[in-house]
Amino acid sequence: MANNSAALDSVFQALADPTRRAVVQRLGRGPATVGELAQPFAMALPSFMKHLGVLEKTGLIRSRKHGRTRTCTLEQKNLAAAERWFADQRSLWASRYQNLDSLLESLNGEERES
């Protein structure tokens, strides 16, 4: 559990940055070269490569070099872990809201009976 928690923490930390979120979003449409990924951002390539390094270290992306071209792809495994965490939270809170709704309905019914 602690290892899963650490992996999830690193995914959320990586996705906390808007540049990295944009890269993940773009790679959701398919593989892209580093040049294609860097093009929309007004930063030097070494700075952009640091963002890719963070994403690669957390396992959100993978890159392969073919000649002089590095192509990145999205890795679904760690992203799926974050999605499962959100789904679990959504389910937990939906249940809590349903319990609250039931309590309020019963209290409202008691007021009408009085």
Side-chain angles (χ1 to χ4, degrees), residues 12-81:
F12 284 130
Q13 184 175 8
L15 295 174
D17 183 87
T19 299
R20 293 191 288 263
R21 283 194 309 274
V23 168
V24 168
Q25 186 175 11
R26 165 54 190 87
L27 290 175
R29 296 191 312 260
T33 65
V34 169
E36 292 168 337
L37 293 171
Q39 192 273 327
F41 303 100
M43 67 177 72
L45 188 58
S47 297
F48 184 76
M49 292 300 292
K50 288 180 183 179
H51 286 291
L52 294 183
V54 169
L55 291 170
E56 202 159 11
K57 183 178 177 183
T58 60
L60 290 171
I61 69 168
R62 179 178 39 140
S63 69
R64 289 191 183 142
K65 191 169 185 179
H66 298 91
R68 295 181 58 158
T69 304
R70 182 169 294 279
T71 302
C72 298
T73 56
L74 189 61
E75 287 292 313
Q76 296 291 328
K77 183 182 172 188
N78 283 343
L79 197 54

